[in-house]
Amino acid sequence: MGDPVKEYTARLQQQEREIRSLSAEIESLRRPAGGTSETSRLDQLRDENARLKYRINVLKRSLQEAPPPSRAMTNINQRLQDVFGVAIRAACPELDHPPLSVTPNQQAKFGDYQCNSAMALAQVLRLRGVKVNPREIAEKIVQNLPDNELIQKTEIAGPGFINVHLKRTFVSKLLSSLLINGVQPPPLTSRKKVVVDFSSPNIAKEMHVGHLRSTIIGDSMCRLFEFLGHDVLRLNHVGDWGTQFGMLLAHLQDKFPNYLNESPPIGDLQAFYKESKKRFDEDEDFKRRAYQCVVRLQSRDPDFIRGWNLICDVSRSEFQKVYDCLDVSIVERGESFYQDLMVDVVQELEDKGLLQEDEGRRLLFVPGQSVPLTVVKSDGGFTYDTSDLAALRQRLRDERADVIIYVVDSGQGTHFSVVFAAAQMIGWYDPQVTRVEHAGFGVVLGEDKKKFKTRSGDTVRLRDLLDEGLRRSMDKLKEKERDKVLTPAQLAQAQRSVAFGCIKYADLSHNRINDYVFSFDKMLDDRGNTAAYLLYAFTRIRSIARLADLDEAALRTAAETCEVQLEHEKEWKLGKCILRFPEILHKILDDLLLHTLCDFLYELATTFTEFYDSCYCVEKDRQTGAVVKVNLWRLLLCEATAAVMAKGFDILGIKPVSRM
C-alpha cells in the first residue's frame, strides 16, 4: 500500500509549484511588453488576469482546507451516525432535531450495525398529527443515504430496523492503518482541562479498601482522558488539617520533646494516632492542650508548622508505597491548601447576601436542596462544606477546568449535589458549559456479603491487602509451574503483574455504582472475565509472532504490504471487534463506567480464541516441528488484537508481561 503522507506531500508540492507559476504569469500580465494601447488587447488581458487570480484563490483554499492524513482510529459507529444523520434529515426535513440511533448488531446474521431511528421518528411525527408507517420512514432513510465508503448494503427488517452490512475492504483498510500507526486515540474536537479528585486519604491514618476503590477508579479515569489527548490534573485532596492535628501535635510534644532538633522515629503512625485519640477522649487536660495546639497551628506558628510537616511526611511516605505498588501518580493538594481561599469564599457569599444566621452558624440555603451548607460554624471555624466550595471555586477560576470529576464513595452523593447546586446558584459555572460530576462508587464487601473487615472486625489495611495479593499470585504461578520456565526476574515481574492487575481488574470490571464482593480466589481464577484470564490470553497472543519467528521489523513490513483478508467468518468477527475500541472509549467518556472497557477486553479475548481455534496462523510440520507456513494476514490480526488489548490494559492501569 502507498504512503498517504508521501502522496499528500507530493500533491501539496505540485499545488505550490502551480501557484508560483500562476503568480509569475499574473505579474507578467500586469506589465505587458511594448506598452500596447489597444483596448481589445487590454480587455483580453484583464479577463485572463481575473481568471488566473480566481484559480490561485481556489488552489489556496484547497491547500488550507484539505485535512492531513489522520493517524487517529476511526469510530465506525460515529461515522455511521454521520451518514444516517444526513439521510434522516433528508427523509424528514420538517424535524429540527430528529432522533438518531445506531448500535452494533447483536446477531451477525442481521448485519454489523443497526439503525433504529425509524420507529422513534414515526412516534415524533405521530405527536404532530402525521400518521406514517415506520417501515416507510426506514425506506426513505435508505433512499437518502449519501455515497460513502462504509456500507456494503442495508436491509429493512421488522417494524423498521435498518440492518447495516459493512464493506470488508473498509474494515481491512482500518485494520491496516491501526497496524501501521499503532493504537491512536480518536480525533479530538477540542482539548479540555480535566481535574480528577481521587484517592484522598487522611493524614495520620492508614489507607483502607475504600481508598483502594477511589484510587483505582480515579487513576483509570485519568488514564482515559490522557490517552484521548486532554490536559489532566490528578488531585489528591488529603485530609491534612483540622482538630485531629491538635491532639497529634500535643502527643508529639509529650512523646518526642526534642522533635524540632531530631526527626521523631514514628514507626507506626496509625498506633501513634490511636494513642493520641485515646488521650484526647479520656484526659481533659490533654484535650485542652490539643485545642491550644490547633490555635497555634492555624496561626502558622513555625514550631507547630514544623511538627505538622513531620507528621504529614510520615503519612506521605506510607501513601507513596501504595501508589508505587499500584503505579499511580497523583498531585497532593490537601485541605490546608484551601485555608486562605475559604476566607475569600465566605467574603464573596457575604457580599452577595447569600448567608443566613442560625444559632451562631452561617448557612447557605440552595433552592431545590433538602439541606443547607454550613459555611461558618458557631465558633467561627470552617467546615468540609466550606473547604469543598473553596476547592471547586479554585478549580474553576484558577485551573480553568472544563471538566471536574470527584471520585468519592456514593455516600457523599447528597453532599456533592448541594455543593454543585450552590456553585451554580452563586454563578461560578454553567453546567451546559462546564462538566462537574460526582463519580460515586459502592462499598467493598467480604465473601460473607458484609462490609469488608478483618476477622477481628478492623478495617482492612491497604498495604496488608496488597501484600496478600502478592503472596497468592506467587502461589498461583507456582501451581502452574511457571517458576520452572521463568527466570527469577521474570517470575517476580509476573507476580506483580498478576497480583496488582487482578486487584485492579476485580474492582474496575464491576459497575462502580454497585457494591462488589472482594475474593482473591475469584480474581486469581484464570477462567471467565478476570485479569488472570486476560493476562494469560495476552501472553499467548504475543507468543504467536515468536512461534512464527517474525521480529518487529518483519511484522511492520507485512503490515505495510499485506492486505488483511477477512473472508473467514471468524476473521471478519475479530476484525470488527478490534475496531469497536474507539466507540467503547467514547461511551465511557460519557458515563465514566469503566466496566464497559473490561467487558470489551473480555469479548475481544474470547473472540480471538474463536478465531485462533478456527483459523491457522502458523502451520508446523508435525514430525519436525519446523514452521512450514505463516498466514501473514492472520498473524496481523493477532498483532492488532494484542495492540488493542495492551492499550486497554494501559487505560486500566494493568501491566502485562511478555512471558507468564
Side-chain angles (χ1 to χ4, degrees):
M1 60 174 58
D3 186 336
V5 176
K6 289 181 180 178
E7 292 174 7
Y8 180 71
T9 303
R11 184 158 63 87
L12 283 179
Q13 292 171 345
Q14 175 61 31
Q15 288 180 338
E16 291 283 11
R17 284 195 293 271
E18 189 171 351
I19 287 174
R20 287 196 295 272
S21 174
L22 291 172
S23 297
E25 191 173 345
I26 286 175
E27 193 60 34
S28 68
L29 289 173
R30 284 176 176 165
R31 298 187 298 274
T36 177
S37 60
E38 296 178 9
T39 304
S40 61
R41 175 64 176 157
L42 282 173
D43 290 343
Q44 180 184 355
L45 290 172
R46 286 193 183 104
D47 289 344
E48 190 167 352
N49 193 338
R51 285 196 297 272
L52 289 170
K53 284 184 177 179
Y54 173 75
R55 287 173 63 195
I56 285 179
N57 287 333
V58 170
L59 283 167
K60 285 183 176 178
R61 282 199 302 272
S62 172
L63 285 172
Q64 292 169 354
E65 295 171 4
S70 176
R71 299 173 68 239
M73 286 188 73
T74 296
N75 184 333
I76 296 177
N77 193 308
Q78 185 60 57
R79 287 283 299 277
L80 287 171
Q81 287 186 44
D82 294 341
V83 170
F84 275 94
V86 171
I88 289 170
R89 286 190 293 273
C92 303
E94 66 272 33
L95 300 180
D96 292 330
H97 301 288
L100 173 61
S101 173
V102 178
T103 59
N105 224 324
Q106 298 303 312
Q107 297 187 54
K109 64 181 179 179
F110 295 130
D112 307 311
Y113 284 81
Q114 190 175 81
C115 176
N116 306 322
S117 299
M119 288 73 73
L121 286 164
Q123 188 174 2
V124 172
L125 291 169
R126 195 175 299 118
L127 292 173
R128 292 189 170 201
V130 180
K131 290 188 177 181
V132 60
N133 188 306
R135 280 189 71 95
E136 292 178 20
I137 297 177
E139 288 168 1
K140 273 190 178 182
I141 293 172
V142 170
Q143 290 166 7
N144 283 283
L145 284 171
D147 291 337
N148 62 85
E149 61 176 343
L150 294 83
I151 300 174
Q152 179 68 39
K153 66 175 181 177
T154 58
E155 298 165 338
I156 300 173
F161 300 112
I162 303 173
N163 292 325
V164 179
H165 297 260
L166 297 175
K167 289 182 180 177
R168 300 203 176 210
T169 52
F170 172 72
V171 172
S172 177
K173 178 182 172 184
L174 293 185
L175 289 168
S176 293
S177 175
L178 184 156
L179 288 159
I180 293 169
N181 298 315
V183 181
Q184 301 294 330
L188 187 66
T189 53
S190 63
R191 191 168 190 255
K192 298 184 182 299
K193 178 64 177 287
V194 180
V195 174
V196 183
D197 179 328
F198 69 105
S199 194
S200 305
N202 289 312
I203 294 293
K205 292 184 180 179
E206 294 278 5
M207 292 181 75
H208 54 73
V209 290
H211 299 122
L212 176 69
R213 294 216 73 187
S214 178
T215 304
I216 289 172
I217 295 168
D219 176 60
S220 189
M221 285 182 186
C222 290
R223 288 170 179 267
L224 173 62
F225 279 106
E226 287 161 351
F227 173 64
L228 294 175
H230 297 292
D231 177 16
V232 180
L233 175 58
R234 301 156 157 259
L235 283 186
N236 197 4
H237 188 86
V238 300
D240 65 349
W241 204 253
T243 305
Q244 73 271 24
F245 282 93
M247 67 183 194
L248 287 166
L249 287 167
H251 191 52
L252 180 70
Q253 291 172 341
D254 291 347
K255 195 163 186 178
F256 303 104
N258 197 33
Y259 76 91
L260 291 173
N261 301 314
E262 184 178 334
S263 183
I266 303 176
D268 188 340
L269 191 57
Q270 181 76 356
F272 186 86
Y273 179 88
K274 288 180 178 179
E275 290 170 7
S276 65
K277 183 70 168 66
K278 187 173 187 297
R279 294 183 68 190
F280 185 84
D281 292 339
E282 298 175 356
D283 186 336
E284 286 299 320
D285 180 61
F286 180 82
K287 180 183 287 189
R288 189 164 46 253
R289 285 200 300 118
Y291 281 128
Q292 291 171 354
C293 288
V294 172
V295 174
R296 298 284 293 276
L297 176 63
Q298 291 177 341
S299 65
R300 308 285 174 170
D301 184 302
D303 289 352
F304 287 80
I305 290 292
R306 172 77 186 278
W308 171 74
N309 277 322
L310 287 170
I311 294 168
C312 290
D313 286 343
V314 174
S315 265
R316 288 190 190 104
S317 177
E318 290 303 307
F319 296 161
Q320 194 57 48
K321 291 174 184 176
V322 171
Y323 296 140
D324 288 344
C325 284
L326 298 175
D327 190 28
V328 170
S329 62
I330 193 166
V331 176
E332 182 183 307
R333 190 175 290 173
E335 292 170 2
S336 60
F337 178 86
Y338 302 101
Q339 292 305 299
D340 294 338
L341 300 179
M342 286 191 270
V343 176
D344 297 337
V345 166
V346 174
Q347 188 62 54
E348 180 180 349
L349 298 181
E350 291 279 17
D351 293 344
K352 292 182 176 180
L354 295 173
L355 296 183
Q356 297 183 29
E357 291 281 343
D358 180 72
E359 297 182 352
R361 299 175 300 165
R362 279 179 278 180
L363 307 179
L364 178 63
F365 287 88
V366 184
Q369 300 297 320
S370 58
V371 294
L373 294 174
T374 302
V375 178
V376 183
K377 296 188 294 186
S378 57
D379 62 2
F382 298 138
T383 68
Y384 286 122
D385 294 346
T386 331
S387 175
D388 282 339
L389 283 171
L392 179 53
R393 180 175 179 261
Q394 190 275 338
R395 293 163 188 180
L396 289 164
R397 293 190 179 181
D398 298 345
E399 302 298 344
R400 299 183 180 277
D402 303 295
V403 179
I404 304 174
I405 298 169
Y406 291 79
V407 186
V408 184
D409 70 88
S410 296
Q412 298 297 312
T414 300
H415 167 72
F416 282 115
S417 177
V418 180
V419 170
F420 300 162
Q424 293 169 44
M425 180 189 73
I426 299 165
W428 289 347
Y429 79 97
D430 178 354
Q432 299 299 316
V433 177
T434 306
R435 179 182 183 182
V436 180
E437 187 170 342
H438 170 218
F441 54 83
V443 300
V444 181
L445 304 176
E447 293 189 71
D448 58 359
K449 304 294 176 66
K450 296 179 181 178
K451 201 165 183 179
F452 197 43
K453 300 275 188 181
T454 63
R455 289 184 179 178
S456 62
D458 294 330
T459 301
V460 177
R461 297 193 334 159
L462 202 44
R463 283 297 309 280
D464 293 342
L465 184 144
L466 296 176
D467 289 344
E468 178 69 5
L470 285 170
R471 185 186 68 77
R472 292 196 182 218
S473 67
M474 180 58 78
D475 290 344
K476 189 74 174 180
L477 289 164
K478 288 181 177 179
E479 180 186 312
K480 288 178 162 292
E481 299 186 335
R482 305 314 295 162
D483 55 321
K484 296 180 180 178
V485 295
L486 299 177
T487 66
Q490 289 172 336
L491 185 64
Q493 189 180 25
Q495 177 193 23
R496 292 178 68 84
S497 175
V498 171
F500 302 143
C502 286
I503 288 171
K504 287 184 177 185
Y505 194 86
D507 192 315
L508 295 169
S509 61
H510 291 83
N511 187 323
R512 63 172 166 77
I513 297 170
N514 301 329
D515 300 341
Y516 90 96
V517 175
F518 189 97
S519 167
F520 274 119
D521 290 338
K522 288 182 180 177
M523 69 176 65
L524 289 167
D525 194 342
D526 55 8
R527 296 163 297 177
N529 189 7
T530 66
Y533 168 76
L534 291 175
L535 287 167
Y536 285 120
F538 177 81
T539 303
R540 185 172 62 134
I541 296 169
R542 278 293 190 215
S543 70
I544 295 171
R546 291 198 301 269
L547 183 67
D549 197 24
L550 290 177
D551 58 19
E552 191 173 328
L555 289 169
R556 174 80 182 180
T557 300
E560 293 172 344
T561 58
C562 177
E563 179 184 359
V564 181
Q565 298 179 33
L566 302 167
E567 298 302 322
H568 195 286
E569 63 168 324
K570 299 302 182 183
E571 294 171 340
W572 178 238
K573 183 178 180 181
L574 179 59
K576 290 185 298 177
C577 188
I578 291 168
L579 295 176
R580 281 182 48 227
F581 188 55
E583 57 192 76
I584 295 295
L585 299 187
H586 270 134
K587 183 181 184 303
I588 300 170
L589 202 61
D590 290 336
D591 59 25
L592 302 177
L593 296 175
L594 290 153
H595 70 276
T596 307
L597 177 55
C598 298
D599 291 343
F600 167 75
L601 291 176
Y602 179 62
E603 180 187 352
L604 182 58
T606 54
T607 302
F608 176 84
T609 299
E610 291 178 22
F611 155 79
Y612 193 67
D613 290 344
S614 303
C615 303
Y616 284 111
C617 298
V618 181
E619 296 182 38
K620 285 187 168 187
D621 185 288
R622 292 185 177 180
Q623 293 183 340
T624 65
V627 175
V628 295
K629 183 180 179 181
V630 175
N631 293 293
L632 274 179
W633 72 90
R634 290 177 177 170
L635 202 60
L636 291 175
L637 277 171
C638 297
E639 289 300 301
T641 303
V644 168
M645 286 186 73
K647 179 51 66 178
F649 284 146
D650 186 58
I651 292 171
L652 297 175
I654 295 172
K655 285 188 173 182
V657 292
S658 57
R659 297 180 68 85
M660 187 176 292

